């Protein structure tokens, strides 16, 4: 006889099933609401890392993300079988040294007067490459600093023209499979150290007063390279011109540099940024265009800062025959330079041999010896730091007002390293909207905490493994200050759309940086940065340009086996991770150091080693 359908056992089981279903419904409803609230959106990798680290209480190096250099691309992490990603193919080998906004073919279509053709001319949206820039065959990780200052592997920059053109000037020598940089230069045949000693006899380089410098027409940047051991950071720039690979050599050596030129556009630096500016036979026509280039130097030079000019026309009486120019021509050129310096109220503090040094006035009230009775044309633009793609003008940028003739306009800067963490004068004076002294101190504490977390993720962060470091969205420079070390330097990039614009305060801290729009190519050669830090970049550029555009540019400038640290909202990082899956990057998501409930996450990536010519990673 069959059992009764509504017996007590069945009723119990039925009730139990209903409770289970109701319970599961409630659970998934709560889970869905929790996820929709912005928490818990990290992918399974982030959750797995949380499990791995929560038991030990230590972040540790991610188990299968290798930050060491191998040159064989080991440790590839396969994509999930159902992942749909665009796979980016290698570009043709002709693009090995492609610089999108200083492309030589495009440059030749622009006027040559005033160096317009050497300025930034970026490709349109439809012209942008959607492929990965290959490294040259035989590419290897550069030598660690300080050896890299003097030696560069030939395979990384396989161009010998400078060894011929500049052979007698001791710039660079080719020796076997390396280039050697003996520290010479056109104007310092006895070496950069001896030359800097001459400058130090009249400029306070040794005591930290001079920390940031601008080297115009830098060549291979030996001046900046040798200043580093004196705790001076030089922003060096040179055009991409017939002397191929100048800036590329500089960065391969581990020296800060960008592709740049004095043309028609303002320099991409804030006003009152540099403690010293320098031209060593840089071939810039300082006396032309109504002194506009000297006026631009005045804009970026800090009150009380120094301008160094060595080479033509200085000491023309001794060198006019060697320079193959007439005495009258050179005398007239120097006379015009002196007139512009007087107009700017620069004091000439020294002229000895081939070197002349001027000092900028400390405020607008201190000019008492103007030779020309006429007043200079003063700029009226409300923001002297609004310079991105702005035309240079022959007008003088006014200095902030002062209370007495002895006061430094804009506030006095402490010597380095005290200025690194001191409140910058522009913050103290309220010149940066929304940033108070306390907000600045809070930002400093926050970045020290973040960097400590990064060190647990990647133990090589400050070991010397990474020399050239970039912060793509630098804010107040907290990341760079927190990892400050003689083993590395940081290019602090302040996006042109960032609010507030804070690059001036970064310079007041004794750090260097540049304005840039990340929807365009950066002014550097491929493979010039070892480590890139990208905090909030993709949230900032949401709806401005595609994630792929920014990531492909990051891939272009990142060295093989270089690392990236992303910090952003989890939604943005999920998109980044998906795109990076088709770029030969190994990635891992990591929870915020305050725990998995914080919606901001960290994504770390390592670019695989591969070169052009069909040779990819060993495991591919």
């Amino acid at each position: 006889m069959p059992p009764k359908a509504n017996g007590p056992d069945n009723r119990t089981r039925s009730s139990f099933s209903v409770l289970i279903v109701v319970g599961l419904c409630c659970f998934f409803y709560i889970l869905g609401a929790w996820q929709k609230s912005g928490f818990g959106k990290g992918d399974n990798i982030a959750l797995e890392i949380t499990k791995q680290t929560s038991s030990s209480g230590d972040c540790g190096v991610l188990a299968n993300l290798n930050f060491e250099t191998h040159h064989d691309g080991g440790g590839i992490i396969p994509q999930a079988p159902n992942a749909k990603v665009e796979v980016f193919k290698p570009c043709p080998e002709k693009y090995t040294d492609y610089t999108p906004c200083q492309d030589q073919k495009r440059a030749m279509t622009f006027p040559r007067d005033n160096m317009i053709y050497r300025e930034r001319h970026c490709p349109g949206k439809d012209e942008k490459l959607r492929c990965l820039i290959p490294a040259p065959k035989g590419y290897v990780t550069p030598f660690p600093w300080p050896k890299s200052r003097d030696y560069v592997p030939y395979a990384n920059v396989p161009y010998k023209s400078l060894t011929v053109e500049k052979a007698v000037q001791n710039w660079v020598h080719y020796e076997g499979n390396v280039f050697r940089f003996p520290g010479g230069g056109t104007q310092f045949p006895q070496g950069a150290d001896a030359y800097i000693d001459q400058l130090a006899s009249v400029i306070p380089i040794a005591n930290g007063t001079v920390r940031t410098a601008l080297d115009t027409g830098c060549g291979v940047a030996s001046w900046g390279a040798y200043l580093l051991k004196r705790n001076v950071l030089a922003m060096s720039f040179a055009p991409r011109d017939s002397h191929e690979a100048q800036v590329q050599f500089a960065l391969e050596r581990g020296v800060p540099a960008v592709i740049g030129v004095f043309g028609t556009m303002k320099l991409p630096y804030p006003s009152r940024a540099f403690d010293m500016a320098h031209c060593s036979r840089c071939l810039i026509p300082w006396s032309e265009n109504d002194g506009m280039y000297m006026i631009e130097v005045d804009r970026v030079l800090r009150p009380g800062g120094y301008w160094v000019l060595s080479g033509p026309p200085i000491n023309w009486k001794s060198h006019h025959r060697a320079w193959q120019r007439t005495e009258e021509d050179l005398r007239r050129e120097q006379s015009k330079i002196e007139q512009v310096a007087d107009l700017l109220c620069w004091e000439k503090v020294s002229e000895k041999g081939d070197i002349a040094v001027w000092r900028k006035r400390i405020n607008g009230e201190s000019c008492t010896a103007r030779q020309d009775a006429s007043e200079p044309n003063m700029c009226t633009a409300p923001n002297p730091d609004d310079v991105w793609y702005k035309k240079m003008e022959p007008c003088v940028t006014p200095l902030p007002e002062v209370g007495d003739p002895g006061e430094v306009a804009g506030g006095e800067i402490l010597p380095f390293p005290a200025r690194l963490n001191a409140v910058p004068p522009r913050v103290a004076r309220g010149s940066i909207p929304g940033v108070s002294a306390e907000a600045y101190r809070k930002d400093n504490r926050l970045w020290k905490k973040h960097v400590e977390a990064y060190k647990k993720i990647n133990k090589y962060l400050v070991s010397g493994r990474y020399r050239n470091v970039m912060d793509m969205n630098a804010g107040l420079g907290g990341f760079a200050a927190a990892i400050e070390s003689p083993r590395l330097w940081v290019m602090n990039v302040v996006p042109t759309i960032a609010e507030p614009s804070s690059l001036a305060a970064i310079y007041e801290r004794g750090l260097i940086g540049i304005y840039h729009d990340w929807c365009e190519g950066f002014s550097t050669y491929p493979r010039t940065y070892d480590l890139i830090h990208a905090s909030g970049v993709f949230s900032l550029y949401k709806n401005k340009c595609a994630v792929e555009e920014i990531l492909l540019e990051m891939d272009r400038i990142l060295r093989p086996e270089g690392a990236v640290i992303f910090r952003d909202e989890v939604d943005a990082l999920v998109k980044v991770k998906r795109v990076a899956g088709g770029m030969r990057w190994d990635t891992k998501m990591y929870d915020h150091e305050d725990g998995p409930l914080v919606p901001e996450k960290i994504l770390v990536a390592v670019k695989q080693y591969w070169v052009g010519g069909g040779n990819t990673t060993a495991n591919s």
Side-chain angles (χ1 to χ4, degrees), residues 477-489:
F479 169 77
I483 65 167
E484 165 64 22
S485 166
R487 294 179 173 180
L488 57 82
W489 58 270

Side-chain angles (χ1 to χ4, degrees), residues 5 62 168 206 265 272 281 300 347 361 364 435 442 475 493 562 574:
L62 299 182
V168 298
M265 299 293 177
R272 311 194 319 271
R281 202 167 187 175
V300 301
E347 176 193 2
R361 66 201 186 285
V435 181
K442 182 179 179 181
V493 181
V574 167

Side-chain angles (χ1 to χ4, degrees), residues 16 45 131 200 234 336 350 400 404 442 477:
F16 185 70
I45 293 179
C131 52
K336 287 182 179 179
S350 175
D404 63 75
K442 182 179 179 181

Side-chain angles (χ1 to χ4, degrees), residues 302-349:
R302 195 179 308 289
Y306 297 86
W307 185 55
V308 179
L309 176 61
S310 66
I314 305 303
N315 204 7
W316 55 267
K317 292 180 181 178
S318 301
H319 297 307
H320 69 276
R321 289 188 179 87
W323 294 337
Q324 298 181 343
R325 293 176 61 184
T326 66
E327 293 184 70
E328 178 58 25
D329 181 33
L330 288 162
R331 184 198 63 76
R332 188 184 303 112
E333 182 181 346
Q334 180 157 357
S335 178
K336 287 182 179 179
I337 289 173
E338 302 279 6
Q339 289 173 15
V340 176
D342 286 343
L343 181 72
L344 297 169
C345 212
W346 291 357
E347 176 193 2
K348 194 175 202 178
V349 296

Side-chain angles (χ1 to χ4, degrees), residues 245-266:
Q246 291 181 87
V247 167
Q248 192 174 19
F249 271 128
L251 286 155
E252 202 69 20
R253 299 174 72 184
V255 181
V258 292
I259 301 172
V261 66
F262 262 111
T264 63
M265 299 293 177
K266 292 183 178 181

Side-chain angles (χ1 to χ4, degrees), residues 3 32 58 68 136 149 221 310 313 326 386 401 478 507-508 515 532:
D58 189 7
E68 297 183 74
R149 187 194 69 178
S310 66
T326 66
D386 181 18
E401 295 182 359
Y507 273 94
E508 289 181 336
Y515 293 114
I532 298 176

